[in-house]
Amino acid sequence: MGVSIIDVQRDVILDTLRRITRGDWKVLVVDETSRKLIDNVTKEDDILHENITNVEQIEERRPPNLDTDAIYILSPQPHIVDCLLADFERRRYRRSFLVWTSLLDPRLRKRIDSTPSAREQIANFQTLTIDFYPRESHLITFRDPWSFPTLFHPACNSLVQGHLQDISHKIVSLCVSLGEYPTIRYYRPRNPSHEASVLCSHLARFVQDGLDQYAQYHNDFPPQVNRPRGALFITDRTMDLFSPLIHEFTYQAMAHDLLPIKDGDKVLYKTVVNEGEPNEEVKDMEIGEKDKIWVENRHRHMKDTIEKLMGDFQNASDNATSLNAIKDMLAGLPQFQELKEAYSLHLSMAQECMNLFQQRKLPDLASVEQSLATGLDEDYRKPKNLADQVVRSLDEESVIMPDRLRLLVMYLLYRDGLLPADTHRLLAHAQLPPHDNEVIANLELLGARVQRSLKDPKPVPPPLFGKKQRPTALDEAYALSRFTPVLKSMLEAHVTGTLDQSVFPFTKPQLDAPQDGVDLSSQASLRSAKPTWAKTRLAASEPRQRVIVFVAGGGTYAESRVCYELSRSSSRDIFLASSHMLSPSLFIRQLSDLSVDRRRLDIPADRPKPKVPQHLLEPEPRPKPPPMVAPAPSPRMPEPPTSSMHTMSLQTGSNGTIPNGRAASRPTPVPSASVPSSSSHQKLEKPERVKEDKKKHHFFSRKKQ
């Protein structure tokens, strides 16, 4: 389906390496952040195949490699620049090719340029635009869950401007990577009541300035292509508060809502592999673009997902009439281990979702949620007795506490605020802890109305887009999926050219005037002109327009799904980008954190700034000389008896006396060569033993007589 942002970023990285190496072998040096960016879209083999001898991390200890050039792909952080300058001081590599993942701060660039050792060793200096994390072919995140409290926590006002500028740099990187210089529209609430209502307008202005500046310094941007000009929409979480709360029954959204999926650098789910076999093990299975079964089924309704999983094996076994039967059949396919593990994973996930669907009485609960979120009952009429339905749902023992809180929040949003006494009564009736009241109170920071007086004349505001019409045919199984995110209505209006400019104004509406030849000051003239981007569906041979939607504060899996659906139905490539992805439990937790002391939030801006590792600043240890091998000791020759030679006489008598009657001196016994002669004690000890041995010999010989 069109272009994949994963492929786009992978090609940018590999093409950069290919242009620098040009067939010569080089070392690749990365930092912790840039390594994550690279590992997210490439395999290590992909990197090594581009004439890379090995990959090193700049923060770690590394041996000098003076005979090899190095390619640095680094994130533009101050402490990383310090690490780089430390490498230059030690001349760790022969030459250095610098590649930054995003624009380097001018002050940091000046530090590098003013360092003599850097000027001598830098062979090339360039900047890429890859400072974002493609998660799916049309889904991008910045892996920044702290963006939500930074934007909406009252104590973080001092951080908002800098944070919006950081976000704008990443959005500009995304646009440049896609080769788009888009028109920009942003969400402007009709009757704002919260301080954060101006976030989208400020962010849109920062993005516009960033794109204009990039185009000013890059004559080849935007590239000359024949597709329609792209469109960028800047929205935030306040535009749709129902989407992160409601129970979704498509596979991906339902799994992230109900199952304990770990959502970090990788999306992992713990399951049992080879169940019932000798090699049974508990394993963390990755769920991502490499999993074809996941990609094929993630946006299907759970009912269709189960039918598809079972249908895949219908031809293989006539007895495969249930999920458990398919799992048993898979156990007999050892030759397809990878396929077996993948199907076992999704069968287990689907089965667990359906078990929780029944245990928690989600069909009944979801029916009430759908009426609250859409303002229509199953017959697409105004719902009646919703308060009674909410209370009955709260009385159900099978409805867990988090689901009760979600239901209360949706009821409050539906009513556009409640009397404080009614809120407390509902909390008490639901048996929710008192601190859950903070979740409800914090909704005001997102533009929701929480309290209203008894005689408040203010009417409930109309929905941002009109209510849905009853479909011609509605399957009963899909009656619990009547709600559609506001983002879908916005994109549908964009495709048809009917999007309200008072709610979604352009940052530079005059840019489209030459192209369309109409005055964009009025919406009527825009509709009558029928611009090229307003065609509801393009022909298969026509180039596809690229549409980017950014949701500040976190996106939902329902919003991601509608981007894929409209990409297919409108023949456009629609990408969803956000700081992070929200599950209902994470959204509730982050709502609660808006009243927590800022020091407890562990926001990255409040952490100590990272510093260059100390070992990079220490002088390089001198290479140690090879250890000297001591020569093997040679056998010691016996010393000549020079000390007694002057007393020796060749004229001794038979009794050992010399002619003058003195006894001849016996020469001193010479120690054996095997006895060490390093001390006089060892030399004198052997004669004593000899005397003792002789005495013993005479003693025993007399005894025998």
Side-chain angles (χ1 to χ4, degrees):
M1 182 181 64
V3 67
S4 167
I5 188 59
I6 296 177
D7 295 338
V8 169
Q9 194 178 79
R10 180 192 298 115
D11 292 343
V12 169
I13 295 172
L14 297 181
D15 288 347
T16 300
L17 294 176
R18 200 172 296 122
R19 285 195 301 269
I20 296 176
T21 56
R22 295 182 179 180
D24 295 332
W25 292 97
K26 290 178 172 56
V27 177
L28 176 61
V29 184
V30 298
D31 60 61
E32 182 180 3
T33 302
S34 64
R35 178 185 285 273
K36 290 180 180 179
L37 290 169
I38 295 171
D39 290 347
N40 184 59
V41 295
T42 65
K43 300 177 182 178
E44 187 174 2
D45 287 344
D46 298 334
I47 300 294
L48 298 179
H49 286 166
E50 301 300 336
N51 288 84
I52 299 297
T53 58
N54 61 303
V55 182
E56 301 177 349
Q57 191 159 323
I58 196 169
E59 300 98 333
E60 297 177 353
R61 296 182 183 272
R62 291 159 288 135
N65 200 339
L66 301 177
D67 298 329
T68 308
D69 294 342
I71 302 175
Y72 288 86
I73 299 184
L74 304 176
S75 55
Q77 304 177 72
H79 75 287
I80 297 301
V81 172
D82 292 337
C83 295
L84 177 66
L85 294 178
D87 273 12
F88 289 152
E89 289 295 327
R90 283 152 184 75
R91 298 184 179 273
R92 196 176 295 276
Y93 306 101
R94 184 172 57 190
R95 292 186 305 164
S96 299
F97 296 80
L98 298 189
V99 181
W100 301 95
T101 59
S102 61
L103 188 63
L104 186 66
D105 187 278
R107 292 169 295 182
L108 298 177
R109 174 67 184 268
K110 186 176 180 180
R111 283 189 58 198
I112 297 175
D113 293 341
S114 61
T115 304
S117 58
R119 292 196 301 267
E120 295 172 2
Q121 298 174 59
I122 294 177
N124 190 20
F125 193 109
Q126 68 180 105
T127 301
L128 301 181
T129 53
I130 58 171
D131 192 18
F132 54 89
Y133 294 91
R135 178 162 172 160
E136 298 174 4
S137 63
H138 287 63
L139 176 61
I140 302 98
T141 72
F142 300 157
R143 293 186 182 176
D144 186 13
W146 296 275
S147 181
F148 184 89
T150 303
L151 294 175
F152 298 110
H153 197 292
C156 294
N157 288 342
S158 61
L159 304 177
V160 172
Q161 181 176 355
H163 184 62
L164 289 179
Q165 289 176 338
D166 290 341
I167 293 176
S168 69
H169 296 329
K170 298 177 189 296
I171 297 176
V172 169
S173 293
L174 175 60
C175 293
V176 173
S177 293
L178 289 171
E180 292 295 335
Y181 194 176
T183 59
I184 302 177
R185 304 181 74 169
Y186 60 92
Y187 170 58
R188 182 170 63 188
R190 287 196 179 101
N191 300 302
S193 60
H194 58 298
E195 190 176 1
S197 62
V198 296
L199 287 178
C200 293
S201 61
H202 288 313
L203 180 56
R205 177 169 54 85
F206 290 152
V207 174
Q208 186 70 71
D209 292 344
L211 284 170
D212 293 344
Q213 185 178 13
Y214 188 89
Q216 180 182 355
Y217 290 101
H218 296 79
N219 296 328
D220 58 345
F221 178 80
Q224 297 299 317
V225 293
N226 60 350
R227 63 174 178 267
R229 186 180 184 183
L232 169 64
F233 291 90
I234 304 292
T235 68
D236 64 23
R237 190 65 271 154
T238 66
M239 188 177 79
D240 186 358
L241 294 177
F242 281 105
S243 186
L245 291 168
I246 198 166
H247 280 91
E248 276 274 334
F249 298 121
T250 50
Y251 183 29
Q252 183 182 40
M254 191 175 183
H256 279 273
D257 185 3
L258 302 182
L259 302 181
I261 294 177
K262 298 178 183 178
D263 193 350
D265 293 346
K266 294 182 179 180
V267 181
L268 302 173
Y269 180 71
K270 185 172 292 186
T271 187
V272 178
V273 179
N274 302 320
E275 187 174 359
E277 299 180 14
N279 57 341
E280 176 181 325
E281 63 173 327
V282 178
K283 187 176 181 181
D284 281 330
M285 299 285 289
E286 182 178 357
I287 306 172
E289 291 296 288
K290 301 174 185 177
D291 187 341
K292 302 305 179 184
I293 301 175
W294 171 256
V295 172
E296 188 177 358
N297 292 282
R298 62 189 171 197
H299 298 139
R300 283 195 173 101
H301 192 279
M302 182 58 76
K303 170 178 174 292
D304 299 329
T305 299
I306 294 175
E307 290 178 356
K308 182 67 169 60
L309 290 173
M310 296 176 65
D312 286 343
F313 285 87
Q314 194 66 39
N315 296 331
S317 174
D318 295 335
N319 297 324
T321 57
S322 67
L323 294 177
N324 289 330
I326 294 178
K327 290 176 66 176
D328 294 340
M329 185 183 66
L330 283 172
L333 301 176
Q335 66 272 28
F336 302 113
Q337 183 63 29
E338 186 175 347
L339 180 66
K340 174 184 173 182
E341 290 184 0
Y343 269 99
S344 296
L345 167 68
H346 294 292
L347 289 168
S348 298
M349 291 173 62
Q351 185 66 62
E352 184 63 21
C353 285
M354 294 310 298
N355 291 341
L356 295 173
F357 180 78
Q358 299 296 335
Q359 293 171 11
R360 299 180 181 178
K361 298 289 183 69
L362 293 186
D364 298 335
L365 182 64
S367 178
V368 181
E369 291 179 353
Q370 292 290 320
S371 298
L372 294 173
T374 62
L376 300 170
D377 61 12
E378 295 181 2
D379 297 323
Y380 283 79
R381 299 174 182 173
K382 185 177 180 180
K384 299 179 180 179
N385 304 321
L386 266 182
D388 294 339
Q389 296 180 42
V390 169
V391 171
R392 284 199 298 270
S393 298
L394 296 177
D395 288 335
E396 286 284 349
E397 294 183 359
S398 55
V399 178
I400 61 176
M401 294 298 176
D403 287 348
R404 297 183 185 188
L405 180 58
R406 288 163 63 177
L407 183 64
L408 283 183
V409 171
M410 283 188 277
Y411 180 63
L412 183 141
L413 295 174
Y414 168 77
R415 292 289 303 273
D416 192 38
L418 295 171
L419 298 175
D422 290 345
T423 302
H424 289 299
R425 276 196 290 267
L426 286 172
L427 285 169
H429 188 82
Q431 300 178 4
L432 293 172
H435 64 78
D436 280 346
N437 190 40
E438 296 178 0
V439 175
I440 294 176
N442 291 339
L443 286 169
E444 286 189 350
L445 300 172
L446 274 66
R449 192 180 183 189
V450 175
Q451 297 182 4
R452 63 187 310 157
S453 60
L454 186 60
K455 297 182 179 180
D456 192 343
K458 186 177 180 181
V460 176
L464 195 58
F465 295 92
K467 294 182 179 180
K468 292 177 60 178
Q469 299 296 322
R470 180 184 177 88
T472 55
L474 182 65
D475 191 335
E476 183 180 353
Y478 301 97
L480 301 181
S481 300
R482 304 191 306 276
F483 169 78
T484 56
V486 175
L487 186 144
K488 181 178 182 180
S489 301
M490 179 195 75
L491 290 172
E492 288 174 339
H494 163 71
V495 169
T496 57
T498 59
L499 189 59
D500 188 352
Q501 290 192 45
S502 65
V503 182
F504 295 93
F506 289 89
T507 54
K508 288 186 175 181
Q510 68 276 11
L511 291 179
D512 284 341
Q515 175 185 343
D516 300 331
V518 296
D519 181 10
L520 297 182
S521 59
S522 65
Q523 187 177 352
S525 61
L526 179 64
R527 293 177 181 175
S528 61
K530 292 295 181 183
T532 56
W533 48 260
K535 295 179 181 179
T536 57
R537 186 174 180 86
L538 302 174
S541 59
E542 293 185 49
R544 300 162 65 97
Q545 184 196 30
R546 294 177 178 177
V547 181
I548 304 168
V549 182
F550 179 77
V551 183
T556 68
Y557 294 101
E559 292 167 339
S560 172
R561 170 177 53 82
V562 299
C563 288
Y564 283 93
E565 292 173 350
L566 287 173
S567 293
R568 288 188 292 268
S569 63
S570 66
S571 297
R572 287 165 171 80
D573 283 316
I574 303 177
F575 300 87
L576 177 66
S578 187
S579 55
H580 62 298
M581 296 305 291
L582 287 169
S583 64
S585 59
L586 177 58
F587 180 63
I588 291 293
R589 186 167 73 248
Q590 293 199 314
L591 261 180
S592 178
D593 287 343
L594 294 182
S595 54
V596 171
D597 190 294
R598 171 177 162 178
R599 292 170 293 184
R600 294 173 52 192
L601 296 177
D602 191 31
I603 296 177
D606 293 336
R607 298 173 187 168
K609 300 299 180 184
K611 297 181 179 180
V612 57
Q614 189 62 33
H615 63 81
L616 293 181
L617 303 177
E618 298 171 353
E620 286 286 345
R622 294 183 178 180
K624 297 180 180 180
M628 298 295 293
V629 180
S634 56
R636 187 164 184 175
M637 299 299 294
E639 296 181 1
T642 55
S643 59
S644 56
M645 287 184 67
H646 69 285
T647 60
M648 291 181 62
S649 175
L650 299 178
Q651 298 177 358
T652 56
S654 59
N655 57 353
T657 61
I658 58 175
N660 59 5
R662 291 181 299 172
S665 300
R666 294 184 178 181
T668 305
V670 179
S672 171
S674 61
V675 180
S677 58
S678 58
S679 64
S680 59
H681 177 72
Q682 291 174 334
K683 292 179 181 178
L684 298 174
E685 193 169 347
K686 186 172 181 181
E688 293 178 2
R689 289 177 180 166
V690 173
K691 293 178 182 179
E692 290 177 359
D693 292 341
K694 287 182 178 180
K695 290 179 181 178
K696 291 178 182 178
H697 175 72
H698 294 308
F699 176 75
F700 283 112
S701 59
R702 282 196 301 265
K703 241 187 162 182
K704 286 180 182 179
Q705 293 173 358

